[in-house]
Amino acid sequence: LPMTTNNSTILDNKDHLLRIIDFVLSQSKKMGATDAEADIGAGIGLSANVRKGVIDKLEYENEKGLSITLYINGKKGSASSSDFSDNALKNTVEAAFNIAKHASHDKHAGLVEKKLMAKNIADLNLYHPCNISPEAAIDLAIECEQSAFDCDKRITNSDGSIVSTFSGINIYGNTNDFINGWRWSSHMIECTVIAEDNSGMQRDGWYSKTCDFDDLQSIKDIGKEATRRATTRLGARKLSTCEVPVIFEAPVASGLFSAFITAISGASLYRRASFLLDKKDKQVFANQINITENPHIKKALGSAPFDNDGVATKKHTLISEGILKDYVLSGYSARKLGLEPTGNAGGVHNLVVEPGKMDLNDMIVEMNKGLLITDMIGFGINQITGDYSRGASGFWIENGEIAYPVEEITIAGNLTEMYKNIKCIGKDVDLRGNILTGSVMIDKMIVAGK
């Protein structure tokens, strides 16, 4: 099946992809599989990367792939193919079958119950293809980078500006008479620059990402924010070790809740490798914290009508007034734990951390003295103990105002205490990903410096 960047042929042939899924499922049953499931991911994209006004890289993406998993009375085998010809599909099914024959028996392996399959596939307005030409994408990237240079003479260099667009389709089916899918798109403009003065050089940037190209921030706003973030880091100092309140700016605050999701995910729970083990219906966050999953927000990057098992996604509460109300479970992990699937095979879909009434500036005033973190380095989280330690940079706050930038510091604590010590969530929600949260203020953390 041909694919082009000007005419999204494969994306407009959903029925053809549905037939391919049906074909491999039928082949699996004919070969002797007890059950089978298959999925197709396909898409086209364009990415233009410029640096200092010159095209650095121009990439086209044109991809498609099918994976098939089949079961033989509790034995599981998987195989994949990027060739959709009949012979290749038959060979892929045969490969999966041969793997399953030699696999170990797992009583928990298999499909989710038929009654849990998604019935009505809602239109979540996720598909907004953009047929921008390479020349236009290059011009936009150059304009974005130039806007950053024009904002401040201290911007002396650039790590580049990127304009990218991608449109895709997901199709999933299984032998529980379920086959369906949806189209989606994702577009991004990013700019990263280097500021320089007598104190040295600093690097920072900004990006905008949406499923509709028309919803992206303006080129000038992206360049202006990249400039602001780079120049305000000039003259950064080191801190002496202290214990103070800390604000995680919204773009980095999502990492706190990513660790939370990992801790309440089925795989972590049945392996007993979670710092939130056996915490359901117990207090794990501060009283004012409420967290829900809302998979059906229109135009949101994390929205999905069903999960990787075909289970219908739905809005459900994870944290209510600080209390853990539910886990996030796939069909397999739910069976291992003796629970019901929650529609989370493949992860969460739009984790919404309920915002408070203060914006970031209000939170800085409220904190009065402490640390505002705007960038983090490395990944230092122990998911079993909850111990947390990461490199960071940001700004020192004095008398409710930004005093000066800081760098080469480490923040440390334990997530079980950090979650309970959250003072407030800002209303400056970052919508550029799957975790929708504002800035987060934590009452007290160790800041290790010089």
Side-chain angles (χ1 to χ4, degrees):
L1 189 67
M3 300 174 69
T4 71
T5 54
N6 294 322
N7 180 10
S8 306
T9 306
I10 197 166
L11 304 183
D12 295 329
N13 277 272
K14 180 180 176 181
D15 288 343
H16 177 73
L17 299 180
L18 293 173
R19 288 193 294 272
I20 290 175
I21 294 287
D22 185 62
F23 175 78
V24 296
L25 294 177
S26 297
Q27 287 296 122
S28 299
K29 295 294 280 187
K30 287 179 182 177
M31 197 162 287
T34 311
D35 278 307
E37 56 186 338
D39 64 84
I40 288 174
I44 55 173
L46 170 70
S47 178
N49 189 332
V50 305
R51 182 176 178 274
K52 300 189 76 171
V54 178
I55 181 68
D56 186 48
K57 187 191 301 182
L58 182 66
E59 290 183 321
Y60 290 94
E61 293 182 74
N62 189 331
E63 58 186 44
K64 60 185 174 75
L66 172 139
S67 64
I68 174 78
T69 297
L70 51 81
Y71 305 91
I72 307 173
N73 297 318
K75 295 183 177 184
K76 173 184 172 182
S78 299
S80 60
S81 174
S82 59
D83 184 346
F84 288 2
S85 66
D86 285 357
N87 283 337
L89 295 173
K90 289 177 181 178
N91 290 338
T92 304
V93 173
E94 185 176 357
F97 186 83
N98 289 332
I99 292 171
K101 284 195 303 184
H102 297 93
S104 300
H105 180 268
D106 184 348
K107 66 179 181 180
H108 302 293
L111 303 180
V112 174
E113 292 180 78
K114 187 174 182 178
K115 66 180 182 180
L116 297 175
M117 297 295 100
K119 303 295 191 299
N120 301 310
I121 310 301
D123 180 6
L124 301 178
N125 199 16
L126 303 177
Y127 184 55
H128 299 269
C130 176
N131 289 324
I132 188 171
S133 69
E135 294 81 7
I138 292 168
D139 288 344
L140 280 177
I142 291 173
E143 182 185 350
C144 185
E145 182 187 56
Q146 188 59 48
S147 71
F149 279 111
D150 292 342
C151 282
D152 197 302
K153 291 182 180 179
R154 291 174 294 175
I155 301 299
T156 60
N157 209 334
S158 167
D159 264 1
S161 182
I162 302 171
V163 173
S164 64
T165 176
F166 191 89
S167 297
I169 188 168
N170 296 330
I171 304 289
Y172 170 84
N174 60 40
T175 48
N176 272 341
D177 297 324
F178 178 85
I179 303 179
N180 218 313
W182 70 93
R183 300 179 183 90
W184 58 277
S185 55
S186 176
H187 316 289
M188 185 180 73
I189 300 176
E190 180 178 10
C191 183
T192 304
V193 292
I194 298 168
E196 184 176 7
D197 66 5
N198 292 334
S199 67
M201 293 187 294
Q202 293 288 344
R203 172 185 178 274
D204 212 329
W206 191 248
Y207 72 94
S208 178
K209 185 177 183 181
T210 61
C211 73
D212 188 339
F213 200 89
D214 292 338
D215 293 337
L216 290 168
Q217 280 183 275
S218 72
I219 291 293
K220 289 185 177 180
D221 285 345
I222 295 169
K224 182 178 179 180
E225 181 62 10
T227 295
R228 185 193 71 80
R229 297 179 76 88
T231 54
T232 54
R233 294 180 65 160
L234 289 168
R237 310 177 194 177
K238 297 180 182 180
L239 287 176
S240 297
T241 298
C242 54
E243 187 176 40
V244 292
V246 169
I247 295 175
F248 291 79
E249 189 189 19
V252 296
S254 60
L256 297 172
F257 301 105
S258 176
F260 161 67
I261 291 301
T262 300
I264 64 167
S265 295
S268 296
L269 296 173
Y270 71 69
R271 290 174 181 143
R272 304 192 68 77
S274 168
F275 64 91
L276 292 180
L277 195 65
D278 301 322
K279 295 295 184 181
K280 189 172 180 181
D281 297 323
K282 296 180 181 178
Q283 193 89 28
V284 297
F285 277 88
N287 292 337
Q288 75 276 16
I289 303 302
N290 297 292
I291 303 176
T292 60
E293 180 190 19
N294 190 350
H296 300 158
I297 302 174
K298 292 195 173 183
K299 277 192 169 184
L301 291 169
S303 293
F306 56 84
D307 73 355
N308 291 356
D309 288 333
V311 175
T313 54
K314 60 182 179 180
K315 184 176 181 179
H316 75 292
T317 299
L318 297 175
I319 297 290
S320 177
E321 297 180 346
I323 296 173
L324 178 61
K325 306 301 289 186
D326 205 358
Y327 300 132
V328 291
L329 307 174
S330 66
Y332 180 79
S333 63
R335 280 192 291 269
K336 292 275 285 187
L337 294 166
L339 301 171
E340 287 292 314
T342 59
N344 291 115
V348 294
H349 311 281
N350 298 326
L351 189 75
V352 180
V353 182
E354 183 178 83
K357 296 180 179 179
M358 292 192 288
D359 62 20
L360 181 56
N361 288 332
D362 296 330
M363 295 172 71
I364 290 172
V365 172
E366 174 76 13
M367 182 169 67
N368 189 48
K369 181 180 180 179
L371 178 67
L372 167 63
I373 297 172
T374 58
D375 193 24
M376 307 205 75
I377 305 166
F379 187 83
I381 301 175
N382 187 319
Q383 286 291 156
I384 298 176
T385 65
D387 288 339
Y388 182 97
S389 178
R390 294 190 66 185
S393 59
F395 298 88
W396 182 250
I397 307 300
E398 284 277 2
N399 299 317
E401 295 181 346
I402 290 177
Y404 50 83
V406 296
E407 62 183 1
E408 296 183 27
I409 55 178
T410 300
I411 54 168
N414 186 280
L415 287 170
T416 55
E417 298 172 0
M418 290 163 62
Y419 290 161
K420 290 179 181 178
N421 288 331
I422 292 177
K423 290 191 69 176
C424 60
I425 307 292
K427 64 180 181 180
D428 55 332
V429 178
D430 189 352
L431 303 175
R432 298 173 300 171
N434 192 36
I435 298 177
L436 312 180
T437 180
S439 297
V440 175
M441 187 195 301
I442 295 179
D443 188 48
K444 195 180 294 184
M445 289 190 70
I446 296 294
V447 178
K450 58 186 180 180

